[in-house]
Amino acid sequence: MKANYGYMDGSGDYFITIDTDKCVECETRACVAACPANLFVIEEDDWDDLVALIAQDKRKSVKYDCAPCKPVTDRPPLPCMAECPFDAIEHSW
Amino acid sequence: MAKEYWRWKEYNWRDEKRDWRDGKVITGGVDVGSVSSQAVIMVDGEIYAFSNMRTGSNSPDSAVNAMNWALEETGISMDDFDFIVGTGYGRVNVPYADKAITEIACHARGGNYMYGPTVRTILDMGGQDCKAILCDERGKVTNFLMNDKCAAGTGRGMEVFADLLNVSIEEVGDLSLDVEEEPPPVSSTCVVFAKSEASQLLRDGWSRSRVLAAYCSAMAHRVFSLLERVGVQKDFAITGGIAKNTGVVSRLEKELGLTALQPRHDTQIAGALGAALFATTLVEKGKGRKKSQTAVTG
Ligand code: SF4
Ligand code: SF4
């Protein structure tokens, strides 16, 4: 399942997409440790699989929480995407 | 007391042609949303009774009230249930539920039952959020997106406009279509700003129909963007209270170039219905309260 967490407002679309089918195979859960803003948590989904999701209290602030990882110029690889062994994470902005 | 134009019809329903005592498996689903709450009672996987009411000041009481109203005059007691699933924003606060399941999964499952297995895209326009869900032929979610950042594009936003224009919420959609020419949509995406923009349009001499057309159009465009992000696939269906608003639905259909499927049940019960269907499946898997229960098929 592709789960899109975030929001759209007057300024744009701010979604982090996690392909949770890939998380089922993942042993490292590296996204959790990689994210300096502690956005990722591992929880059981509705089908009893342990998958990554964006913490409930962070879903309306991803634009601001991710800002330090996304400088306007010379953006380095995002830590969450770089560390995920299954390329399960995408950012819309 | 001033008329509350936003107030939609609260009601309960039961299938008077059937006797639940003939059934084997009694399951329940309750959806406690931020604006409305629904309870659905299923007998052997078919809807037997439901209620649809406004959410009160706290989730546990709303869950109890919704279920009590669905049970009214059925003769079913809480002890008769084999399993109950709670969903919605208040799902973890349903005191009598055996399990909580997200509203995304429940809307997909309920939409699959309500619209049939060909439905692939479900747009749920709820009280305070909007969800775009893609699902497979069994109603399992394959992709979802939820926007609950603000009330624009939601039932609450529409209620605010109904009150502002003194138009009953049930008439908003039809009245918005009573315009000779489609006006430009209101430009504000935030409901607070959209409300002040609408007030200004009224002062400028716009008719109520025209203002509603501009708002419904903005709302349709907003959810269209949401749907575009997940990628709409046929068949397409809408759940939630706004599915009853012809003004938003017809404008959205036009923008999508698709016609939404016609529901078999009240679109507001989709979440609770999905929860009750999950409960039925869990009983089939032997996880029901009465472990000796014979599994129901179908
Ligand atoms: S590291 Fe990637 S695959 Fe592993 S749990 Fe996190 S998002 Fe899922
Ligand atoms: S971009 Fe940075 S803050 Fe945002 S999710 Fe990835 S690691 Fe976390």
Side-chain angles (χ1 to χ4, degrees), chain A residues 16 34-37 39-40 65-66 69-70 78-80 91:
Chain A
I16 299 174
C35 177
L39 261 57
F40 292 86
D65 289 330
C66 293
C69 290
K70 300 183 175 192
L78 302 179
C80 52
H91 285 238

Side-chain angles (χ1 to χ4, degrees), chain A residues 18-67:
Chain A
I18 304 173
D19 186 342
T20 57
D21 292 341
K22 295 179 175 171
C23 300
V24 177
E25 306 290 318
C26 180
E27 287 175 3
T28 66
R29 312 291 183 187
C31 54
V32 178
C35 177
N38 299 319
L39 261 57
F40 292 86
V41 289
I42 305 293
E43 280 183 16
E44 217 170 66
D45 69 5
D46 293 320
W47 296 273
D48 303 332
D49 290 319
L50 278 174
V51 301
L53 43 88
I54 300 298
Q56 184 77 42
D57 61 340
K58 307 276 190 185
R59 292 178 193 172
K60 293 182 190 172
S61 58
V62 291
K63 174 184 173 185
Y64 304 101
D65 289 330
C66 293

Side-chain angles (χ1 to χ4, degrees), chain A residues 67-88:
Chain A
C69 290
K70 300 183 175 192
V72 182
T73 53
D74 299 327
R75 184 198 277 195
L78 302 179
C80 52
M81 292 178 68
E83 290 299 318
C84 173
F86 290 93
D87 291 332

Side-chain angles (χ1 to χ4, degrees), chain B residues 165-212:
Chain B
L165 299 168
N166 295 353
V167 177
S168 123
I169 191 87
E170 276 101 7
E171 292 166 19
V172 162
D174 287 348
L175 194 61
S176 81
L177 295 171
D178 189 18
V179 285
E180 284 180 6
E181 202 184 322
E182 193 70 5
V186 292
S187 56
S188 308
T189 48
C190 166
V191 78
V192 178
F193 292 124
K195 191 178 163 190
S196 71
E197 193 178 338
S199 303
Q200 183 57 48
L201 293 173
L202 287 171
R203 283 195 292 275
D204 291 347
W206 281 38
S207 68
R208 291 186 304 172
S209 301
R210 203 148 182 253
V211 174
L212 284 174

Side-chain angles (χ1 to χ4, degrees), chain B residues 190-256:
Chain B
C190 166
V191 78
V192 178
F193 292 124
K195 191 178 163 190
S196 71
E197 193 178 338
S199 303
Q200 183 57 48
L201 293 173
L202 287 171
R203 283 195 292 275
D204 291 347
W206 281 38
S207 68
R208 291 186 304 172
S209 301
R210 203 148 182 253
V211 174
L212 284 174
Y215 185 61
C216 288
S217 174
M219 202 161 174
H221 186 66
R222 190 173 166 77
V223 293
F224 172 75
S225 316
L226 210 69
L227 285 164
E228 260 195 323
R229 177 151 282 288
V230 295
V232 183
Q233 296 168 16
K234 273 172 50 173
D235 287 339
F236 164 67
I238 310 176
T239 59
I242 301 285
K244 302 173 189 173
N245 183 314
T246 51
V248 176
V249 173
S250 63
R251 288 178 173 92
L252 177 61
E253 287 178 331
K254 200 169 163 193
E255 222 169 318
L256 286 171

